[in-house]
């Protein structure tokens, strides 16, 4: 009985840590059986990866700020402005594509800096700050475009950002590089650990000599930079600038980041959990659409998933804290008994 209990406990622990990748495989297999001619093809897989590259990038941008227990609700509006500018600066202002990309990156960092200063220094709520900034950015998008598409001839080198390397989408390779860099920073460098520490207990971090205001500002600047990269990718993929594009990405990005906290590092947002969560959502939506689901399924599914992700993430975090407290209490009792 004890061995059986240990086995079940081991299986439960494995599933708790790797649930999203396992569910992703199961869901993919189910849709492959239901749609054998269209779903498991390399064309469909490549299309999903290509389409989700921008969302994964935005998920990573959101993740950095959530690690400090602050949200960034401006990413959807920002990616909309960034993709408009990276196209418009080339078409309307005549900049070369590298200069246009650098300008967009600088603007993204500046937007992140404003968000960070308002949240950390002025003390405005992260929700109010980033939601308000998002509306400002949305207004600037309309001001720049006049409500019209930004269309024109773009250099082939710029459009190649959204091409293929061999038979693999270049965009997903860019995302993979960025994800690896963020993973290393968040998991192995002091900077990432400081962000997690601030998110867990800002006062304790401050007493430990970590300046929460500075690192929260840094987190928003990094988030703005990653969002600008997503905007460049989106511009290369669409090859036009549209004011209507952007806000729809907000739900998916936050849902992916929060849902990712239920695996790998349970109760904490993490890179590979977020990537798996985003791919899982994309797989479900793609399968449902190929089975003839109506157009309203995607927003309904993303909204419901975001609410579920927040609930599950909070529950997982509470369980982790509770477990840590129980282990600490047990250690204290054992040390007293030993004494």
């Amino acid at each position: 009985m004890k061995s059986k209990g240990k086995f079940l406990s081991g299986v439960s622990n494995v599933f708790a840590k790797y649930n999203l990748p396992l569910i992703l495989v199961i869901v993919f297999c189910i849709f492959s059986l239901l749609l054998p001619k269209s779903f498991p093809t390399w064309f469909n897989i490549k299309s999903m990866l290509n389409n989700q590259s921008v969302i994964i990038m935005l998920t990573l941008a959101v993740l950095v700020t959530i690690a400090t227990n602050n949200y960034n609700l401006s990413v959807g509006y920002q990616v909309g402005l960034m993709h408009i500018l990276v196209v418009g600066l080339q078409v309307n202002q005549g900049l070369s594509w590298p200069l246009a990309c650098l300008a967009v990156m600088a603007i993204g960092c500046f937007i992140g800096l404003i968000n960070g200063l308002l949240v950390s220094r002025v003390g405005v709520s992260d929700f109010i700050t980033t939601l308000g900034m998002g509306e400002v950015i949305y207004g600037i998008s309309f001001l720049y475009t006049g409500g019209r598409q930004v269309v024109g001839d773009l250099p082939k080198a710029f459009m190649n950002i959204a091409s293929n390397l061999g038979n693999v989408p270049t965009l997903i390779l860019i995302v993979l590089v960025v994800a690896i860099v963020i993973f290393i920073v968040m998991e192995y460098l002091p900077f990432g650990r400081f962000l997690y520490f601030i998110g867990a207990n800002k006062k304790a971090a401050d007493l430990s000599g970590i300046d929460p205001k500075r690192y929260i500002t840094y987190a928003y600047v990094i988030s703005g930079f990653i969002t600008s990269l997503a905007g460049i990718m989106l511009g290369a993929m669409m090859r036009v600038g549209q004011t209507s594009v952007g806000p729809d990405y907000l739900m998916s990005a936050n849902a992916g980041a929060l849902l990712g906290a239920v695996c790998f590092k349970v109760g904490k947002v993490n890179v590979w959990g977020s990537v798996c969560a985003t791919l899982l959502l994309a797989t479900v939506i793609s399968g449902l659409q190929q089975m003839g689901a109506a157009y309203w399924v995607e927003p309904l599914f993303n909204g419901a998933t975001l609410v579920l992700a927040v609930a599950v993430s909070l529950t997982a975090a509470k369980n982790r804290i509770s477990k840590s407290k129980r282990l600490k209490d047990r250690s204290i009792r054992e040390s007293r008994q030993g004494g």
Side-chain angles (χ1 to χ4, degrees):
M1 291 295 292
K2 287 184 178 181
S3 60
K4 184 179 180 180
K6 288 183 179 179
F7 174 76
L8 293 175
S9 178
V11 171
S12 177
N13 289 335
V14 169
F15 184 77
K17 189 173 182 180
Y18 302 105
N19 47 32
L20 289 184
L22 292 172
I23 295 172
L24 175 60
V25 172
I26 292 170
V27 169
F28 184 85
C29 291
I30 290 173
F31 281 120
S32 296
L33 291 173
L34 294 173
L35 303 162
K37 293 183 179 180
S38 60
F39 193 81
T41 62
W42 175 241
F43 176 80
N44 183 54
I45 295 171
K46 188 166 68 171
S47 297
M48 281 196 295
L49 291 175
N50 207 44
N51 293 335
Q52 293 303 306
S53 57
V54 173
I55 295 178
I56 296 175
M57 192 71 87
L58 293 177
T59 300
L60 297 175
V62 170
L63 178 149
V64 177
T65 59
I66 294 179
T68 66
N69 199 28
N70 289 280
Y71 289 84
N72 187 353
L73 302 181
S74 66
V75 292
Y77 302 98
Q78 187 180 336
V79 75
L81 177 61
M82 297 298 100
H83 98 279
I84 289 170
L85 289 179
V86 78
V87 174
L89 289 174
Q90 297 177 73
V91 173
N92 297 334
Q93 278 67 52
L95 293 184
S96 64
W97 73 268
L99 283 178
C101 291
L102 288 174
V104 164
M105 292 179 197
I107 293 170
C109 291
F110 180 68
I111 292 173
L113 178 63
I114 295 174
N115 280 334
L117 291 176
L118 287 173
V119 172
S120 64
R121 303 286 177 177
V122 181
V124 183
S125 162
D126 53 321
F127 282 93
I128 299 299
T129 295
T130 56
L131 190 59
M133 181 62 70
E135 287 296 323
V136 170
I137 293 169
Y138 202 37
I140 293 173
S141 297
F142 276 101
L143 176 65
Y144 183 82
T145 63
R148 298 183 295 272
Q149 283 190 341
V150 180
V151 184
D153 293 329
L154 293 169
K156 186 177 180 181
F158 173 72
M159 294 188 291
N160 282 342
I161 295 174
S163 63
N164 295 317
L165 187 61
N167 203 26
V168 180
T170 308
L171 294 181
I172 205 65
L173 295 177
I174 296 172
V175 170
L176 184 60
V177 171
V178 173
I180 291 172
V181 171
I182 297 175
F183 171 72
I184 292 172
V185 170
M186 297 297 290
E187 301 296 332
Y188 296 103
L189 297 183
F191 181 86
R193 291 196 289 270
F194 290 167
L195 297 185
Y196 279 129
F197 194 5
I198 292 168
N201 193 323
K202 188 191 294 187
K203 289 185 178 180
D206 194 15
L207 292 173
S208 300
I210 301 169
D211 185 357
K213 294 180 180 179
R214 181 193 305 175
Y215 283 95
I216 289 172
T217 303
Y218 289 161
Y220 274 105
V221 171
I222 293 170
S223 181
F225 175 74
I226 297 171
T227 305
S228 69
L229 294 181
I232 293 169
M233 292 163 54
L234 183 60
M237 185 166 59
M238 293 184 61
R239 302 180 182 182
V240 296
Q242 293 182 333
T243 50
S244 60
V245 175
D248 289 343
Y249 286 114
L250 180 60
M251 284 290 185
S252 300
N254 281 277
L258 292 168
L259 187 58
V262 304
C263 76
F264 296 115
K265 296 175 74 73
V266 181
K268 294 173 66 175
V269 290
N270 61 90
V271 170
W272 303 122
S274 297
V275 171
C276 286
T278 306
L279 292 177
L280 174 59
L281 297 177
T283 302
V284 173
I285 291 172
S286 176
L288 292 175
Q289 288 176 339
Q290 289 187 37
M291 292 182 70
Y295 67 91
W296 47 262
V297 168
E298 183 173 354
L300 180 66
F301 183 78
N302 284 336
T305 303
L306 178 60
V307 174
L308 178 64
V310 172
V312 172
S313 179
L314 288 173
T315 302
K318 289 178 181 178
N319 290 339
R320 182 170 57 86
I321 293 171
S322 178
K323 184 178 179 181
S324 176
K325 186 177 179 181
R326 288 197 304 269
L327 291 173
K328 184 178 179 180
D329 291 342
R330 184 191 302 174
S331 177
I332 292 172
R333 288 197 302 271
E334 290 176 353
S335 63
R336 286 176 178 175
Q337 291 173 358

